[in-house]
Coordinates of all heavy atoms in Angstrom, one line a residue:
M49 N -6.4 -11.7 1.1 CA -5.6 -12.9 1.3 C -5.0 -13.3 0.0 O -5.6 -13.3 -1.1 CB -6.6 -14.0 1.7 CG -6.8 -14.1 3.2 SD -5.3 -14.5 4.2 CE -5.1 -16.2 3.8
V50 N -3.7 -13.7 0.1 CA -3.1 -14.3 -1.1 C -3.6 -15.7 -1.4 O -4.0 -16.3 -0.4 CB -1.5 -14.2 -1.0 CG1 -1.0 -12.8 -0.8 CG2 -1.1 -15.1 0.1
K51 N -3.4 -16.2 -2.6 CA -3.9 -17.5 -2.9 C -2.7 -18.5 -3.0 O -1.7 -18.2 -3.6 CB -4.6 -17.4 -4.3 CG -5.5 -18.6 -4.6 CD -6.3 -18.3 -5.8 CE -5.5 -18.3 -7.1 NZ -6.4 -18.2 -8.3
E52 N -2.9 -19.6 -2.3 CA -1.9 -20.7 -2.4 C -2.0 -21.4 -3.7 O -3.1 -21.8 -4.0 CB -2.0 -21.6 -1.2 CG -1.3 -21.1 0.0 CD -1.2 -22.2 1.1 OE1 -1.1 -23.4 0.8 OE2 -1.2 -21.8 2.3
V53 N -0.9 -21.5 -4.4 CA -1.0 -22.3 -5.7 C 0.1 -23.3 -5.7 O 1.1 -23.2 -5.0 CB -0.8 -21.3 -6.9 CG1 -2.0 -20.3 -7.0 CG2 0.5 -20.5 -6.8
D54 N -0.1 -24.3 -6.6 CA 0.9 -25.3 -6.7 C 1.8 -25.0 -7.9 O 1.3 -24.8 -9.0 CB 0.2 -26.7 -7.0 CG 1.2 -27.8 -7.0 OD1 1.5 -28.3 -5.9 OD2 1.7 -28.2 -8.1
K55 N 3.1 -24.8 -7.7 CA 4.0 -24.5 -8.7 C 5.0 -25.6 -8.9 O 5.9 -25.8 -8.1 CB 4.7 -23.2 -8.4 CG 5.5 -22.6 -9.6 CD 6.2 -21.3 -9.1 CE 7.2 -20.9 -10.2 NZ 8.1 -19.8 -9.7
K56 N 4.8 -26.4 -9.9 CA 5.7 -27.6 -10.1 C 5.9 -28.4 -8.8 O 7.0 -28.7 -8.5 CB 7.0 -27.2 -10.7 CG 6.8 -26.4 -12.1 CD 8.1 -26.2 -12.7 CE 7.9 -25.4 -14.0 NZ 8.2 -24.0 -13.9
G57 N 4.8 -28.7 -8.1 CA 4.9 -29.6 -7.0 C 5.3 -28.8 -5.7 O 5.3 -29.4 -4.6
K58 N 5.6 -27.5 -5.8 CA 5.9 -26.7 -4.6 C 4.8 -25.7 -4.3 O 4.1 -25.3 -5.3 CB 7.2 -26.0 -4.8 CG 8.4 -26.9 -4.7 CD 9.7 -26.2 -5.2 CE 10.0 -25.0 -4.3 NZ 11.2 -24.3 -4.8
T59 N 4.6 -25.4 -3.1 CA 3.6 -24.4 -2.7 C 4.1 -23.0 -3.0 O 5.2 -22.7 -2.7 CB 3.2 -24.5 -1.3 OG1 2.8 -25.8 -1.0 CG2 2.1 -23.5 -0.9
A60 N 3.3 -22.2 -3.8 CA 3.7 -20.9 -4.0 C 2.5 -20.0 -3.7 O 1.4 -20.5 -3.4 CB 4.1 -20.7 -5.5
F61 N 2.7 -18.7 -3.8 CA 1.6 -17.8 -3.4 C 1.3 -16.8 -4.5 O 2.3 -16.2 -5.0 CB 2.0 -17.1 -2.1 CG 2.4 -18.1 -1.0 CD1 3.7 -18.5 -0.8 CD2 1.4 -18.6 -0.1 CE1 4.0 -19.5 0.2 CE2 1.7 -19.5 0.8 CZ 3.0 -20.0 1.0
A62 N 0.1 -16.6 -4.8 CA -0.3 -15.7 -5.9 C -1.0 -14.5 -5.4 O -1.9 -14.6 -4.5 CB -1.1 -16.5 -6.9
C63 N -0.7 -13.4 -5.9 CA -1.4 -12.1 -5.7 C -2.7 -12.3 -6.4 O -2.8 -12.6 -7.6 CB -0.6 -10.9 -6.2 SG -1.5 -9.4 -6.3
E64 N -3.8 -12.1 -5.7 CA -5.1 -12.2 -6.4 C -5.5 -11.0 -7.3 O -6.4 -11.1 -8.1 CB -6.2 -12.4 -5.3 CG -6.2 -13.7 -4.6 CD -7.4 -14.0 -3.9 OE1 -7.8 -13.2 -3.0 OE2 -8.0 -15.1 -4.1
E65 N -4.8 -9.9 -7.1 CA -5.1 -8.8 -8.0 C -4.4 -8.9 -9.3 O -5.1 -8.7 -10.4 CB -4.6 -7.5 -7.3 CG -5.2 -7.2 -5.9 CD -6.7 -6.8 -6.0 OE1 -7.0 -6.2 -7.0 OE2 -7.4 -7.1 -5.1
C66 N -3.1 -9.2 -9.4 CA -2.4 -9.2 -10.6 C -2.0 -10.6 -11.1 O -1.7 -10.8 -12.3 CB -1.2 -8.3 -10.6 SG 0.1 -9.0 -9.5
G67 N -2.1 -11.6 -10.2 CA -1.8 -12.9 -10.6 C -0.3 -13.3 -10.5 O 0.0 -14.5 -10.8
Y68 N 0.5 -12.4 -10.2 CA 1.9 -12.8 -10.0 C 2.1 -13.8 -9.0 O 1.4 -13.8 -7.9 CB 2.8 -11.5 -9.7 CG 3.6 -11.0 -10.9 CD1 2.9 -10.4 -12.0 CD2 4.9 -11.1 -10.9 CE1 3.6 -9.9 -13.1 CE2 5.7 -10.6 -12.0 CZ 5.0 -10.1 -13.1 OH 5.7 -9.6 -14.2
V69 N 3.0 -14.8 -9.2 CA 3.2 -15.9 -8.3 C 4.6 -15.7 -7.6 O 5.6 -15.5 -8.2 CB 3.2 -17.2 -9.1 CG1 3.5 -18.4 -8.1 CG2 1.8 -17.4 -9.7
Y70 N 4.6 -15.9 -6.3 CA 5.8 -15.7 -5.5 C 6.1 -17.0 -4.7 O 5.2 -17.6 -4.2 CB 5.6 -14.6 -4.5 CG 5.4 -13.2 -5.2 CD1 4.1 -12.9 -5.6 CD2 6.5 -12.4 -5.5 CE1 3.9 -11.7 -6.3 CE2 6.3 -11.2 -6.2 CZ 5.0 -10.9 -6.6 OH 4.8 -9.7 -7.2
E71 N 7.4 -17.3 -4.5 CA 7.7 -18.4 -3.7 C 7.6 -18.1 -2.2 O 7.3 -18.9 -1.4 CB 9.2 -18.9 -4.0 CG 9.2 -19.7 -5.3 CD 10.6 -20.1 -5.7 OE1 11.5 -20.1 -4.8 OE2 10.8 -20.4 -6.8
E72 N 7.8 -16.8 -1.9 CA 7.6 -16.4 -0.5 C 6.3 -15.7 -0.3 O 6.0 -14.7 -1.0 CB 8.8 -15.5 -0.1 CG 10.1 -16.2 0.2 CD 11.1 -15.8 -0.8 OE1 11.1 -14.6 -1.2 OE2 12.0 -16.6 -1.2
K73 N 5.6 -16.1 0.7 CA 4.3 -15.5 1.0 C 4.4 -14.0 1.3 O 3.5 -13.2 1.0 CB 3.7 -16.2 2.2 CG 2.2 -15.9 2.4 CD 1.6 -16.7 3.6 CE 0.1 -16.5 3.7 NZ -0.4 -17.3 4.8
E74 N 5.5 -13.7 1.9 CA 5.7 -12.3 2.3 C 5.6 -11.4 1.1 O 5.0 -10.3 1.1 CB 7.1 -12.2 2.9 CG 7.3 -10.9 3.7 CD 8.8 -10.9 4.3 OE1 9.4 -11.9 4.5 OE2 9.3 -9.7 4.4
W75 N 6.2 -11.8 0.0 CA 6.2 -11.0 -1.2 C 4.9 -10.9 -1.9 O 4.4 -9.9 -2.4 CB 7.3 -11.5 -2.3 CG 8.7 -11.1 -1.9 CD1 9.7 -11.9 -1.5 CD2 9.2 -9.8 -1.9 NE1 10.8 -11.2 -1.3 CE2 10.6 -9.9 -1.5 CE3 8.7 -8.5 -2.1 CZ2 11.4 -8.8 -1.3 CZ3 9.5 -7.4 -2.0 CH2 10.8 -7.5 -1.6
A76 N 4.2 -12.1 -1.8 CA 2.8 -12.1 -2.4 C 1.9 -11.1 -1.6 O 1.1 -10.4 -2.2 CB 2.3 -13.5 -2.3
E77 N 2.1 -11.1 -0.3 CA 1.3 -10.2 0.5 C 1.6 -8.7 0.2 O 0.7 -7.9 0.1 CB 1.5 -10.5 2.0 CG 0.7 -11.8 2.4 CD 1.0 -12.2 3.8 OE1 2.0 -11.7 4.4 OE2 0.2 -13.0 4.3
K78 N 2.9 -8.4 0.1 CA 3.3 -7.1 -0.3 C 2.7 -6.7 -1.6 O 2.2 -5.6 -1.8 CB 4.8 -7.0 -0.4 CG 5.6 -6.8 0.9 CD 7.1 -6.5 0.5 CE 8.0 -6.3 1.6 NZ 8.1 -7.2 2.7
C79 N 2.7 -7.6 -2.6 CA 2.2 -7.3 -3.9 C 0.7 -7.1 -3.8 O 0.2 -6.1 -4.4 CB 2.5 -8.5 -4.8 SG 2.1 -8.3 -6.5
Q80 N 0.0 -7.9 -3.1 CA -1.4 -7.8 -3.0 C -1.8 -6.5 -2.4 O -2.8 -5.8 -2.8 CB -2.0 -9.0 -2.3 CG -3.5 -8.9 -2.1 CD -4.3 -10.1 -2.5 OE1 -3.7 -11.1 -3.0 NE2 -5.5 -10.0 -2.5
T81 N -1.1 -6.1 -1.3 CA -1.4 -4.9 -0.7 C -1.2 -3.7 -1.6 O -2.0 -2.8 -1.7 CB -0.5 -4.7 0.6 OG1 -0.7 -5.8 1.5 CG2 -0.7 -3.4 1.3
W82 N -0.1 -3.7 -2.3 CA 0.3 -2.7 -3.3 C -0.8 -2.6 -4.4 O -1.3 -1.5 -4.7 CB 1.7 -2.9 -3.9 CG 2.0 -1.8 -4.8 CD1 1.7 -1.7 -6.1 CD2 2.9 -0.7 -4.5 NE1 2.2 -0.6 -6.7 CE2 2.9 0.1 -5.7 CE3 3.5 -0.2 -3.4 CZ2 3.7 1.3 -5.8 CZ3 4.2 1.0 -3.5 CH2 4.3 1.7 -4.6
C83 N -1.1 -3.7 -5.0 CA -2.0 -3.8 -6.1 C -3.4 -3.3 -5.7 O -4.0 -2.6 -6.5 CB -2.1 -5.2 -6.6 SG -0.6 -5.8 -7.5
S84 N -3.9 -3.7 -4.6 CA -5.2 -3.3 -4.2 C -5.3 -1.8 -3.8 O -6.3 -1.2 -4.0 CB -5.7 -4.2 -3.0 OG -4.9 -4.1 -1.9
E85 N -4.2 -1.3 -3.3 CA -4.2 0.2 -3.0 C -3.9 1.1 -4.2 O -4.5 2.1 -4.4 CB -3.1 0.5 -2.0 CG -3.6 0.1 -0.6 CD -2.5 0.3 0.5 OE1 -1.5 0.9 0.1 OE2 -2.7 -0.1 1.6
K86 N -3.0 0.6 -5.1 CA -2.5 1.5 -6.2 C -3.2 1.1 -7.5 O -3.0 1.9 -8.5 CB -1.0 1.4 -6.3 CG -0.3 1.5 -5.0 CD -0.1 2.9 -4.5 CE 0.8 2.9 -3.3 NZ 0.9 4.2 -2.6
Q87 N -3.8 -0.1 -7.6 CA -4.3 -0.5 -8.9 C -3.2 -0.5 -10.0 O -3.5 -0.2 -11.1 CB -5.5 0.3 -9.4 CG -6.6 0.4 -8.4 CD -7.3 -1.0 -8.1 OE1 -7.5 -1.7 -9.1 NE2 -7.5 -1.4 -6.9
S88 N -2.0 -0.9 -9.6 CA -0.9 -1.0 -10.5 C 0.2 -1.9 -9.9 O 0.1 -2.2 -8.7 CB -0.3 0.4 -10.9 OG 0.5 0.8 -9.8
C89 N 1.2 -2.3 -10.7 CA 2.2 -3.2 -10.2 C 3.4 -2.4 -9.8 O 3.8 -1.4 -10.5 CB 2.5 -4.3 -11.2 SG 1.3 -5.6 -11.1
N90 N 4.1 -2.9 -8.8 CA 5.4 -2.3 -8.4 C 6.5 -3.2 -8.9 O 6.6 -4.4 -8.4 CB 5.4 -2.2 -6.8 CG 6.7 -1.6 -6.3 OD1 7.7 -1.6 -7.0 ND2 6.6 -1.0 -5.1
L91 N 7.3 -2.7 -9.8 CA 8.3 -3.5 -10.4 C 9.3 -4.1 -9.4 O 9.9 -5.1 -9.5 CB 9.1 -2.7 -11.5 CG 8.3 -2.4 -12.7 CD1 9.2 -1.6 -13.7 CD2 7.8 -3.7 -13.4
E92 N 9.6 -3.3 -8.3 CA 10.5 -3.8 -7.3 C 9.9 -5.0 -6.5 O 10.7 -5.8 -6.0 CB 10.8 -2.6 -6.3 CG 11.7 -1.6 -6.9 CD 12.0 -0.4 -6.0 OE1 11.8 -0.6 -4.7 OE2 12.4 0.6 -6.5
I93 N 8.6 -5.1 -6.6 CA 8.0 -6.3 -5.9 C 7.9 -7.4 -6.9 O 8.3 -8.6 -6.7 CB 6.6 -5.9 -5.3 CG1 6.8 -4.9 -4.2 CG2 5.9 -7.2 -4.8 CD1 5.5 -4.4 -3.7
T94 N 7.4 -7.1 -8.1 CA 7.1 -8.2 -9.1 C 8.4 -8.9 -9.6 O 8.4 -10.0 -10.0 CB 6.3 -7.7 -10.3 OG1 7.0 -6.6 -10.9 CG2 4.9 -7.3 -9.9
E95 N 9.6 -8.2 -9.4 CA 10.8 -8.9 -9.9 C 11.2 -10.1 -9.0 O 12.0 -10.9 -9.3 CB 12.0 -7.9 -9.9 CG 12.5 -7.4 -8.6 CD 13.7 -6.5 -8.7 OE1 14.1 -6.1 -9.8 OE2 14.3 -6.2 -7.6
H96 N 10.5 -10.1 -7.8 CA 10.7 -11.3 -6.9 C 9.8 -12.5 -7.3 O 9.9 -13.5 -6.7 CB 10.5 -10.9 -5.5 CG 11.5 -9.9 -5.0 ND1 12.7 -10.3 -4.4 CD2 11.5 -8.5 -5.0 CE1 13.4 -9.2 -4.1 NE2 12.7 -8.1 -4.4
G97 N 8.9 -12.2 -8.2 CA 8.0 -13.3 -8.5 C 8.0 -13.6 -10.0 O 8.9 -13.2 -10.8
A98 N 7.0 -14.4 -10.5 CA 6.9 -14.7 -11.9 C 5.5 -14.4 -12.4 O 4.5 -14.5 -11.6 CB 7.1 -16.2 -12.0
P99 N 5.4 -13.9 -13.6 CA 4.1 -13.6 -14.2 C 3.2 -14.8 -14.3 O 3.7 -15.9 -14.4 CB 4.4 -13.0 -15.6 CG 5.8 -13.5 -15.9 CD 6.5 -13.8 -14.6
P100 N 1.9 -14.6 -14.3 CA 1.0 -15.7 -14.4 C 1.2 -16.4 -15.7 O 1.5 -15.8 -16.8 CB -0.4 -15.1 -14.3 CG -0.2 -13.6 -14.6 CD 1.2 -13.3 -14.2
E101 N 1.0 -17.7 -15.7 CA 1.2 -18.5 -16.9 C 0.0 -18.5 -17.8 O -1.1 -18.4 -17.3 CB 1.6 -20.0 -16.6 CG 3.1 -20.0 -16.1 CD 3.4 -21.3 -15.4 OE1 2.7 -22.3 -15.6 OE2 4.4 -21.3 -14.6
Ligands
ZN357 ZN1 0.0 -8.0 -7.4

């Protein structure tokens, strides 16, 4: 499950594996699936999000 986080008053979604934050839940889920399977980040996915602060 991705984690819902508050990003400047808006709901965003964080990958629990790498911590990247996405405005769209779909991308967070893609990232989490990738991270848990590959134990690495996919740049084509993370470019849609923001690194953890
Ligand atoms: Zn991730």
Side-chain angles (χ1 to χ4, degrees):
M49 276 295 287
V50 298
K51 195 168 74 174
E52 277 192 30
V53 295
D54 187 84
K55 191 183 171 192
K56 300 188 182 103
K58 286 169 64 183
T59 303
F61 303 91
C63 169
E64 288 194 307
E65 300 290 329
C66 69
Y68 256 69
V69 177
Y70 299 86
E71 285 178 18
E72 284 117 33
K73 192 175 188 181
E74 198 184 331
W75 282 114
E77 284 174 345
K78 277 190 177 55
C79 185
Q80 176 127 3
T81 301
W82 182 278
C83 289
S84 57
E85 283 177 7
K86 317 277 185 186
Q87 302 296 316
S88 72
C89 280
N90 182 334
L91 290 178
E92 288 178 19
I93 296 175
T94 56
E95 73 177 6
H96 294 274
E101 284 165 20

